[in-house]
Amino acid sequence: MRPGVRIGVDVGSVRVGVAACDPAGLIATPIETVRRGRGDLDRLAALVAERGAVEVVVGLPTTLAGRHGPAAAAAEEFARRLAARLAARSADGPGAAPGDAAGDGPAARNVPVRLVDERLSTVGAQRDLRDSGVDTRRGRSVVDQAAAVIILQTALDAERHSGTAPGRLVGGTPPPDRRPRDEGAGRNERQNGE
């Protein structure tokens, strides 16, 4: 299991549920619900920076048959825009957080965004909340956060079980420790016994 805080995101048409895990990647907890629209990507980028997150996991709505419909296309587009926003924030430019210098602080590194299957996460969140006595019709923002918790916890458990990062990377480049090695350098290292 790779160490570090991760942010889980449940993208809806009106709200975005957000969750985070502890640095050991053991348990996901709800953070907040962000209203979709102007400033939503900025708020998510700020949460990533505030928590020093090493990765963002965005739920990809998939049907039971494994198909992707309009909701999946919207989640993919949101994930691409978030990845671009985080990449802009990692540069020392207009997207950087105030006071961040190039190469300093949590906002100065490229934070990867991954899409993971979120089949039935909202249904599960509604069921769990209903079972604990929460009126899901009046507490929709709580449902969004609970769905983000399910998405993130499922991704954490999958990585712990398989030993590999969950889902698929969105845009940008992999973090430095995940980039493919230069084949020529690898051969020279093997020849020199390194």
Side-chain angles (χ1 to χ4, degrees):
M1 181 77 187
R2 298 166 299 147
V5 172
R6 289 166 183 79
I7 300 288
V9 177
D10 177 50
V11 180
S13 59
V14 177
R15 291 171 303 276
V16 178
V18 186
C21 71
D22 59 290
L26 296 175
I27 189 159
T29 55
I31 299 178
E32 70 179 70
T33 301
V34 176
R35 190 124 185 99
R36 279 295 298 269
R38 187 178 197 147
D40 56 358
L41 297 175
D42 291 335
R43 180 62 189 144
L44 288 170
L47 287 169
V48 167
E50 287 167 18
R51 296 190 175 253
V54 298
E55 186 171 73
V56 177
V57 176
V58 177
L60 179 64
T62 306
T63 67
L64 291 176
R67 293 192 179 98
H68 295 169
E76 285 184 275
E77 176 59 25
F78 187 88
R80 274 193 293 277
R81 289 178 39 234
L82 179 58
R85 178 67 182 91
L86 293 173
R89 191 177 186 106
S90 72
D92 185 24
D100 283 344
D104 295 337
R109 59 191 160 66
N110 191 16
V111 176
V113 175
R114 293 187 165 280
L115 281 165
V116 297
D117 186 345
E118 69 147 292
R119 233 172 281 211
L120 300 177
S121 64
T122 301
V123 171
Q126 288 173 328
R127 181 194 60 235
D128 293 348
L129 289 168
R130 230 182 357 262
D131 289 349
S132 61
V134 175
D135 182 354
T136 57
R137 287 172 295 163
R138 286 194 285 159
R140 287 195 174 117
S141 66
V142 175
V143 172
D144 296 327
Q145 290 178 40
V149 167
I150 290 172
I151 290 164
L152 181 55
Q153 190 66 54
T154 301
L156 294 170
D157 294 345
E159 181 172 339
R160 193 173 303 102
H161 178 73
S162 70
T164 60
R168 65 180 162 89
L169 199 58
V170 175
T173 57
D177 60 335
R178 298 285 184 176
R179 288 190 186 132
R181 294 173 72 183
D182 177 59
E183 288 186 39
R187 274 195 298 272
N188 290 339
E189 287 173 2
R190 284 191 295 277
Q191 288 173 352
N192 294 333
E194 296 174 342

